[in-house]
Amino acid sequence: TIENNFSQCYQDMFVLGILNGKRNGTFLEIGGYLPYNGNNTALLDEGFGWTGVSIDIEQRVVDEYAKARPRTNVICADAMKIDYGPLLERIAIDGVVDYLQVDCEPSATTFEALLSIPLDKYRFAVITYEHDYYIDMSKTFRDKSRRYLKAMGYELVAANIAPSGVAVFEDWWVHPALVSAETIERFRCVDKRINLVEDYMLSCPVKA
């Protein structure tokens, strides 16, 4: 029934696929940027009744987002300096939020934002994490994020997501206590050096 999606690389479709088209879910969107073009939560919000919090550091963008999508609580702030506890307390249900997006620039900022989130107190069913490996000069933050998320109980389902043959930029994660083992296996694709997103979305999710 979905006619249009908004994400750059089908992140919105991945979230809905993992959660079986869930309605009225919740999200924390770090690095929301524009309200529609390339946005990972617009479809969840307007097509499936999700609510949540979006954070961006640019006031101009925040003003545009808040006007276009009033259901979402849009905050202008530095993602590395926010006290996420009170925000998550408002949107979590029994300590769970359905979707977390972490998408800042550069890679070091994204990782610091991830460390600021109290993952010991709140769990997320799905995480899309933008490590920007292809432009990370240090080539360290992808591995740092993987070690950290695995230590916090998350399972890598889709590794090295890329829109093209060179731009490896994201990993997609789930919490195994919140997503069925069958679904995890159906979506698992972690053995490719470059995981072209269109190939992944058209093949891995429909494996028997």
Side-chain angles (χ1 to χ4, degrees), residues 26-36 38-42 45 50-59 61-67 69-79 82 84 87-88 90-91 97 99-104:
T26 55
F27 62 83
L28 173 59
E29 179 183 55
I30 300 175
Y33 199 53
L34 299 175
Y36 294 105
N39 186 278
N40 293 340
T41 62
D45 172 355
W50 287 44
T51 56
V53 175
S54 180
I55 297 164
D56 202 275
I57 199 168
E58 294 188 39
Q59 187 64 59
V61 171
V62 167
D63 292 342
E64 178 182 348
Y65 194 132
K67 182 178 180 180
R69 290 177 50 194
R71 285 169 48 88
T72 298
N73 180 16
V74 191
I75 298 171
C76 184
D78 184 334
I82 290 179
Y84 288 98
L87 290 181
L88 291 168
R90 292 202 300 270
I91 64 174
V97 176
Y99 173 44
L100 169 65
Q101 166 193 302
V102 192
D103 175 7
C104 305

Side-chain angles (χ1 to χ4, degrees), residues 30 100-104 110 113-114 117 127-130 170:
I30 300 175
L100 169 65
Q101 166 193 302
V102 192
D103 175 7
C104 305
T110 307
L114 177 66
I117 302 167
I127 299 175
T128 60
Y129 180 84
E130 185 166 323
E170 277 197 350

Side-chain angles (χ1 to χ4, degrees), residues 5-18:
N5 74 304
F6 299 94
S7 293
Q8 176 189 4
C9 287
Y10 300 98
Q11 290 92 336
D12 46 10
M13 302 295 288
F14 174 75
V15 172
L16 289 170
I18 288 287

Side-chain angles (χ1 to χ4, degrees), residues 7-185:
S7 293
Q8 176 189 4
C9 287
Y10 300 98
Q11 290 92 336
D12 46 10
M13 302 295 288
F14 174 75
V15 172
L16 289 170
I18 288 287
L19 299 179
N20 196 29
K22 181 172 183 174
R23 295 187 177 274
N24 303 315
T26 55
F27 62 83
L28 173 59
E29 179 183 55
I30 300 175
Y33 199 53
L34 299 175
Y36 294 105
N37 186 27
N39 186 278
N40 293 340
T41 62
L43 175 62
L44 307 179
D45 172 355
E46 299 197 343
F48 289 80
W50 287 44
T51 56
V53 175
S54 180
I55 297 164
D56 202 275
I57 199 168
E58 294 188 39
Q59 187 64 59
R60 172 189 62 82
V61 171
V62 167
D63 292 342
E64 178 182 348
Y65 194 132
K67 182 178 180 180
R69 290 177 50 194
R71 285 169 48 88
T72 298
N73 180 16
V74 191
I75 298 171
C76 184
D78 184 334
M80 297 184 293
K81 299 178 179 178
I82 290 179
D83 181 357
Y84 288 98
L87 290 181
L88 291 168
E89 185 176 355
R90 292 202 300 270
I91 64 174
I93 300 174
D94 296 327
V96 173
V97 176
D98 294 301
Y99 173 44
L100 169 65
Q101 166 193 302
V102 192
D103 175 7
C104 305
E105 294 178 0
S107 302
T109 299
T110 307
F111 185 63
E112 289 300 317
L114 177 66
L115 295 180
S116 300
I117 302 167
L119 295 182
D120 57 333
K121 296 181 179 179
Y122 295 93
R123 296 181 297 172
F124 299 86
V126 187
I127 299 175
T128 60
Y129 180 84
E130 185 166 323
H131 48 65
D132 283 325
Y133 182 78
Y134 76 110
I135 53 173
D136 174 15
M137 298 301 293
S138 74
K139 299 300 182 190
T140 63
F141 286 101
R142 180 179 64 179
D143 288 343
K144 287 180 180 179
S145 66
R146 287 177 177 179
R147 288 194 298 269
Y148 180 67
L149 285 169
K150 287 178 181 178
M152 298 305 295
Y154 289 86
E155 187 165 343
L156 182 59
V157 170
N160 301 322
I161 291 292
S164 67
V166 295
V168 172
F169 83 123
E170 277 197 350
D171 286 339
W172 296 349
W173 300 78
V174 301
H175 198 296
L178 303 173
V179 178
S180 73
E182 179 183 0
T183 298
I184 291 172
E185 286 307 310

